[in-house]
Amino acid sequence: MGDTFARKRLLGLVSGGVLAQCCYAVAELGVADLLAGGARPVSELAAECGADPVALDRLLGDLAHFGLFRHCGADGYELTSVGELLRTDVLGSLRQTAIMHGEEVARAFVAITHTMRTGLPAFDAVHGRPFYDYLNEHPVVANTMAEAMGAVGPPPVLARYRPLDSAGTVVDVGGGDGGLLAAVLTAHPALRGVLLELPGAVRAARVRLTDAGLLDRAELVAGSFFDDVPGGGDVYVLARVLHNWADEHAVAILHRVRQAMPDRARLIVLERFRSEGGGSVTTAMVDLLMLGLMDGRQRTEAEYVALLDQAGFKVLAVAPPAGEPDDRLIEAIPR
Ligand SMILES: C[S@@+](CC[C@H](N)C(=O)[O-])C[C@H]1O[C@@H](n2cnc3c(N)ncnc32)[C@H](O)[C@@H]1O
């Protein structure tokens, strides 16, 4: 029978996909949003989200064992602090992440053995094209992805970045839904911002910056960082972009930034580093996602410094951990 702890642990891992799909069902049906005001009976929830009441009762009851809901007797169910994060409008919401995982990611990882045999992303084999090309052709998915990334929030380490105090323009390359740009513009009222993104993310960024009342200080550019990067900035940001790409593509992006930026400008790269010994479980999970989805990888500090060197940058500093334990800020200048 083997060791009971080991057996339970492995069963938890091999059945993790079932739980992920059940979290997806909660997210897709909007159940957590319906519970925002407190406990509600299953019959009401089922009627409002268009679910079968018996199936929904079983889903919520079973997920209560995994810490997402609390059973409140005749009053139905309420959210725990974990379940709260499946709501749409909470800080750090994981609703869109659960939807991405339940749909495109789950479909891609069915073919993970293809990646093992070929070294190529399973996503491309299943969806017929690379991840970001697919997003470009599926605006709804692109929006889900931009919101999922945006909900993670900007790494707190950026708020303390001194050169932004005296900068005129910051250019956020691959800036997602504009969350980081909004935080930086709010913290620096004299700063102007440029965001370069694929069209789907630009649409999400326009909404976000408009809602924040910052659109008049921001220019949104729909385009590809493989083709052209806006010039004239004082600070360029590449946040959580390079880890999406294999080395040759990452260097190509850095080259484009290098070509566009004035000699006096600085580049900041925000990434989660893999430590020499391996790093955290979260970093390992992101690395697995990169393996199956898009030919990217989590890198060590030495690997990032080598990429920057190859693209003509001199690294000035690597900031110590802040926020998530493996997050780092690399500051570089043109060589
Ligand atoms: C992992 S997300 C990071 C987003 C944002 N910087 C953040 O930290 O939340 C990577 C971003 O790169 C963008 N991207 C991918 N290919 C691109 C391209 N060719 N040109 C511009 N942006 C691109 C994606 O749309 C996505 O928003």
Side-chain angles (χ1 to χ4, degrees), residues 2 47 54 58 60 62 68 73 75 80 115 127 163 190 320:
V54 176
R58 286 176 63 186
L60 302 189
D62 291 335
L68 267 76
D75 289 336
T80 63
T115 300
H127 294 281

Side-chain angles (χ1 to χ4, degrees), residues 202-220:
V202 164
R203 278 191 291 276
R206 189 173 303 283
V207 172
R208 181 145 193 168
L209 290 159
T210 304
D211 289 351
L214 294 165
L215 198 60
D216 57 331
R217 285 162 57 208
E219 185 189 342
L220 305 181

Side-chain angles (χ1 to χ4, degrees), residues 59-222:
L59 181 75
L60 302 189
D62 291 335
L63 288 181
H65 288 285
F66 293 93
L68 267 76
F69 303 99
R70 245 185 315 270
H71 191 217
C72 306
D75 289 336
Y77 289 91
E78 67 180 5
L79 295 170
T80 63
S81 57
V82 178
E84 281 278 338
L85 293 172
L86 284 174
R87 282 176 54 190
T88 308
D89 55 352
V90 290
L91 196 66
S93 167
L94 290 171
R95 180 172 179 227
Q96 305 295 18
T97 301
I99 292 174
M100 276 302 290
H101 274 265
E103 296 192 354
E104 277 72 18
V105 176
R107 278 199 284 278
F109 270 79
V110 165
I112 192 63
T113 49
H114 169 82
T115 300
M116 293 304 106
R117 294 200 175 99
T118 62
L120 300 171
F123 188 95
D124 302 22
V126 170
H127 294 281
R129 68 219 81 180
F131 186 81
Y132 285 116
D133 291 358
Y134 177 90
L135 290 198
N136 238 348
E137 290 161 28
H138 295 82
V140 175
V141 186
N143 194 55
T144 303
M145 169 68 186
E147 287 184 11
M149 283 306 300
V152 179
V157 72
L158 196 58
R160 299 200 304 267
Y161 184 64
R162 289 277 161 258
L164 283 174
D165 296 345
S166 52
T169 303
V170 60
V171 182
D172 194 357
V173 179
D177 78 338
L180 186 143
L181 189 61
V184 166
L185 293 181
T186 303
H188 299 87
L191 193 62
R192 292 192 59 77
V194 180
L195 180 128
L196 172 69
E197 253 296 352
L198 298 175
V202 164
R203 278 191 291 276
R206 189 173 303 283
V207 172
R208 181 145 193 168
L209 290 159
T210 304
D211 289 351
L214 294 165
L215 198 60
D216 57 331
R217 285 162 57 208
E219 185 189 342
L220 305 181
V221 180

